[in-house]
Amino acid sequence: MLPLSFGKTLLRIAGSRTAAILAICVLTTLAITLTVAQKVMDHEKTAALDVHARSVLDHAGHVAEQSASILRKALQLDTVPCSREDLEQLRVLSFESRFVRDVMRLEGATVACSAAWGRMKQPFPLPVAHHGIAPYRFWRDVNTSPVGHVRADITAHGAVAVVTAPGAFDDAGLADPHIKTLVTSRDGRYVFRSFGGAEFSTSGHAATTGRYVVSHCHPQRLICVVESSPQMWLWSVSWPLLVALTGLGTLAGAGVGITVNSLVRRRAAMGTQLQRAIEHGAIRVVYQPIRMLKDRRLVGVEALARWTDATGQNIPPDQFIPLAEELGLLDALTRSVLRTTFSELGERLRSDEPFYVSVNVNSEEIISRQFRSYLHGLCLEHRIPASRVALEVTERSTANYADLTAAFQEMRDAGHRVMIDDFGTGYSNFAYLAALPLDAIKMDRAFTRAIGTESLASAVIPGIVSIATAMRVTLIVEGIETEAQAQYLRTLHPEARGQGWLLGRPATARELPAD
Ligand code: C2E
Ligand code: MG
Ligand code: MG
């Protein structure tokens, strides 16, 4: 009865975890899909607005250019102002541009005559100009007729002025009611024209509100165009598109969820299997030779853990070591590696030849008193001198410096050798390392691989050799695969030791060469 209810509980836990993973993945993927689609749409809307604003600016540029040209020509006329001849000339000029409705001559603050109305019978006053950008003055939406009210914009240059045709922007593509457009002065303080309900009275900078905003200024004229349009949401654009995207996002999310779930399950199963393998002594150990570079003499080996899972697949240490670390199984694994190594290589390690084995440990282990006493006991039990057992600690370890120094010293006092593994890939600097009580540094194989290339890693090698010499520690070079690499390193440091495919692949205790 008890195992049955236990099984049910397990199933329920596993089931709810699967549901949670699926829900998280579906929701996340859905959110990402819809956000990306919205961003794409926002981008397209802004791009379309950009094109529109440029075309309006182009049009505004023509209006300004033609008005300026007519004003210039009117100023250059050598006719008597407001004479018959002069009015004829002004009339001719007023027909030069369809953007200009009338050309006026001003006397102080009043209109003296114009191409359209001739000489004024009554003085026709203009209000104070609304804005000025030397040499021009501007009026916006003022009465331009001596009879009745015909409102339009006026631009004056000295004593001449042009009346802008109210329909000057009729064919500028401003029909879209969603787009608010302002034609402003370059400093944004004066709005010449406003379309689509954009605020007329305030300045160009503040007047356009909306989700999408673009602005462009004319390269020659002192005018700019600011445009905005309101936020367009996916669902307001197309329901079918939204439904399709939601369906796609959900499907993709479910796919991701199933994959993640199977990975999580696999990892959990792998953890259980690894634990069993460690408990049953199923972690095997292979040994990779370490040789003097100058005469290729075998000086020692590195013990490397190997694990074959229940399906017969070889899992690389780069996968199962971090997993063991994560599950708190590393200490048990290291002890298993030590026991196997001592029983497989015990005879050789007890003999007279100066042959050693180095074992990988992490910084937490070397700092742990229990681990150190376990190693001591194991050495005694197998009658193996401590000097034949080296410990490799990776440079990436994050342990407290003082603790590490004390632990290294204690290990060395006990007779072990202590080495920094994968040297050059971690955070250590020379000052940090120089103060650590060390016997050897193992230069990471990334540097060896770079030999003969132009890379920075290759340029650093002589520096690492100098560090080893200055620290008076042994240099062991990892990952030697070619004769050229071995030759280069031997020349650089004749006393260096090497490890790599060229000098010997990891082998079982039985296959290990005698020298
Ligand atoms: P490591 O301690 O730096 O060990 C050297 C690694 O480089 C080994 O990989 C070895 O097979 C590989 N190697 C040796 N020579 C060459 C070469 O010429 N070329 C190339 N490309 N590779 C070479 P392995 O056995 O896969 O181990 C990977 C890492 O897993 C080890 O790096 C070590 O950090 C960790 N590891 C292995 N066994 C143990 C263990 O028992 N305990 C702990 N804590 N870590 C271990
Ligand atoms: Mg190592
Ligand atoms: Mg290494």
Side-chain angles (χ1 to χ4, degrees), residues 302 304 358 360 392 421-422 442 478 499:
E302 175 174 3
L304 296 163
S358 72
N360 294 285
E392 296 187 10
D421 202 357
D422 302 342
K442 296 190 75 174
E478 300 187 285
Q499 185 179 347

PDB file of all heavy atoms in Angstrom, residues 302 304 358 360 392 421-422 442 478 499, ligand 2:
ATOM      1  N   GLU A 302      48.351  11.660 -15.047  1.00  0.00           N
ATOM      2  CA  GLU A 302      47.198  12.359 -14.462  1.00  0.00           C
ATOM      3  C   GLU A 302      46.032  11.376 -14.464  1.00  0.00           C
ATOM      4  O   GLU A 302      45.760  10.722 -15.480  1.00  0.00           O
ATOM      5  CB  GLU A 302      46.817  13.606 -15.270  1.00  0.00           C
ATOM      6  CG  GLU A 302      45.538  14.259 -14.715  1.00  0.00           C
ATOM      7  CD  GLU A 302      45.155  15.595 -15.363  1.00  0.00           C
ATOM      8  OE1 GLU A 302      45.851  16.028 -16.301  1.00  0.00           O
ATOM      9  OE2 GLU A 302      44.146  16.172 -14.929  1.00  0.00           O
ATOM     10  N   LEU A 304      42.280  10.500 -14.731  1.00  0.00           N
ATOM     11  CA  LEU A 304      41.098  11.142 -15.310  1.00  0.00           C
ATOM     12  C   LEU A 304      39.893  10.210 -15.176  1.00  0.00           C
ATOM     13  O   LEU A 304      39.970   9.040 -15.556  1.00  0.00           O
ATOM     14  CB  LEU A 304      41.348  11.472 -16.787  1.00  0.00           C
ATOM     15  CG  LEU A 304      42.463  12.503 -17.037  1.00  0.00           C
ATOM     16  CD1 LEU A 304      42.924  12.471 -18.486  1.00  0.00           C
ATOM     17  CD2 LEU A 304      41.999  13.915 -16.652  1.00  0.00           C
ATOM     18  N   SER A 358      48.780  12.488 -10.502  1.00  0.00           N
ATOM     19  CA  SER A 358      48.102  13.706 -10.046  1.00  0.00           C
ATOM     20  C   SER A 358      46.601  13.549 -10.225  1.00  0.00           C
ATOM     21  O   SER A 358      46.127  12.984 -11.206  1.00  0.00           O
ATOM     22  CB  SER A 358      48.647  14.952 -10.738  1.00  0.00           C
ATOM     23  OG  SER A 358      48.260  15.003 -12.061  1.00  0.00           O
ATOM     24  N   ASN A 360      42.700  15.339  -9.893  1.00  0.00           N
ATOM     25  CA  ASN A 360      41.978  16.623  -9.946  1.00  0.00           C
ATOM     26  C   ASN A 360      41.060  16.788  -8.738  1.00  0.00           C
ATOM     27  O   ASN A 360      40.258  15.896  -8.446  1.00  0.00           O
ATOM     28  CB  ASN A 360      41.120  16.692 -11.214  1.00  0.00           C
ATOM     29  CG  ASN A 360      41.977  16.733 -12.466  1.00  0.00           C
ATOM     30  OD1 ASN A 360      42.569  17.761 -12.779  1.00  0.00           O
ATOM     31  ND2 ASN A 360      42.078  15.612 -13.151  1.00  0.00           N
ATOM     32  N   GLU A 392      45.745  18.578  -8.394  1.00  0.00           N
ATOM     33  CA  GLU A 392      45.556  19.658  -9.374  1.00  0.00           C
ATOM     34  C   GLU A 392      44.297  20.428  -9.009  1.00  0.00           C
ATOM     35  O   GLU A 392      43.222  19.850  -8.912  1.00  0.00           O
ATOM     36  CB  GLU A 392      45.386  19.084 -10.783  1.00  0.00           C
ATOM     37  CG  GLU A 392      46.606  18.362 -11.286  1.00  0.00           C
ATOM     38  CD  GLU A 392      46.468  17.947 -12.754  1.00  0.00           C
ATOM     39  OE1 GLU A 392      45.501  18.385 -13.427  1.00  0.00           O
ATOM     40  OE2 GLU A 392      47.328  17.189 -13.214  1.00  0.00           O
ATOM     41  N   ASP A 421      45.869  23.908 -12.194  1.00  0.00           N
ATOM     42  CA  ASP A 421      45.452  23.316 -13.471  1.00  0.00           C
ATOM     43  C   ASP A 421      44.897  24.403 -14.397  1.00  0.00           C
ATOM     44  O   ASP A 421      44.441  25.443 -13.925  1.00  0.00           O
ATOM     45  CB  ASP A 421      44.346  22.284 -13.173  1.00  0.00           C
ATOM     46  CG  ASP A 421      44.219  21.250 -14.271  1.00  0.00           C
ATOM     47  OD1 ASP A 421      44.945  21.353 -15.281  1.00  0.00           O
ATOM     48  OD2 ASP A 421      43.379  20.337 -14.115  1.00  0.00           O
ATOM     49  N   ASP A 422      44.926  24.130 -15.681  1.00  0.00           N
ATOM     50  CA  ASP A 422      44.341  25.040 -16.699  1.00  0.00           C
ATOM     51  C   ASP A 422      44.830  26.470 -16.509  1.00  0.00           C
ATOM     52  O   ASP A 422      44.059  27.432 -16.658  1.00  0.00           O
ATOM     53  CB  ASP A 422      42.798  25.021 -16.648  1.00  0.00           C
ATOM     54  CG  ASP A 422      42.238  23.622 -16.853  1.00  0.00           C
ATOM     55  OD1 ASP A 422      42.980  22.765 -17.365  1.00  0.00           O
ATOM     56  OD2 ASP A 422      41.074  23.388 -16.496  1.00  0.00           O
ATOM     57  N   LYS A 442      50.138  24.140 -14.625  1.00  0.00           N
ATOM     58  CA  LYS A 442      49.844  23.408 -15.855  1.00  0.00           C
ATOM     59  C   LYS A 442      49.243  24.398 -16.848  1.00  0.00           C
ATOM     60  O   LYS A 442      48.125  24.880 -16.640  1.00  0.00           O
ATOM     61  CB  LYS A 442      48.868  22.263 -15.568  1.00  0.00           C
ATOM     62  CG  LYS A 442      49.456  21.209 -14.647  1.00  0.00           C
ATOM     63  CD  LYS A 442      48.570  19.980 -14.567  1.00  0.00           C
ATOM     64  CE  LYS A 442      48.663  19.128 -15.798  1.00  0.00           C
ATOM     65  NZ  LYS A 442      47.895  17.857 -15.662  1.00  0.00           N
ATOM     66  N   GLU A 478      49.978  21.469 -21.170  1.00  0.00           N
ATOM     67  CA  GLU A 478      48.877  20.562 -21.520  1.00  0.00           C
ATOM     68  C   GLU A 478      48.621  20.581 -23.031  1.00  0.00           C
ATOM     69  O   GLU A 478      48.925  21.572 -23.708  1.00  0.00           O
ATOM     70  CB  GLU A 478      47.598  21.013 -20.821  1.00  0.00           C
ATOM     71  CG  GLU A 478      47.681  21.046 -19.317  1.00  0.00           C
ATOM     72  CD  GLU A 478      46.319  21.343 -18.678  1.00  0.00           C
ATOM     73  OE1 GLU A 478      45.887  22.503 -18.717  1.00  0.00           O
ATOM     74  OE2 GLU A 478      45.697  20.402 -18.166  1.00  0.00           O
ATOM     75  N   GLN A 499      52.150  17.073 -21.552  1.00  0.00           N
ATOM     76  CA  GLN A 499      51.061  16.098 -21.511  1.00  0.00           C
ATOM     77  C   GLN A 499      50.262  16.330 -22.789  1.00  0.00           C
ATOM     78  O   GLN A 499      50.025  17.486 -23.163  1.00  0.00           O
ATOM     79  CB  GLN A 499      50.198  16.385 -20.268  1.00  0.00           C
ATOM     80  CG  GLN A 499      49.095  15.391 -20.004  1.00  0.00           C
ATOM     81  CD  GLN A 499      48.309  15.763 -18.735  1.00  0.00           C
ATOM     82  OE1 GLN A 499      48.739  16.603 -17.939  1.00  0.00           O
ATOM     83  NE2 GLN A 499      47.160  15.151 -18.565  1.00  0.00           N
TER      84      GLN A 499
HETATM   85 MG    MG B   2      43.844  18.248 -14.552  1.00  0.00          MG
END
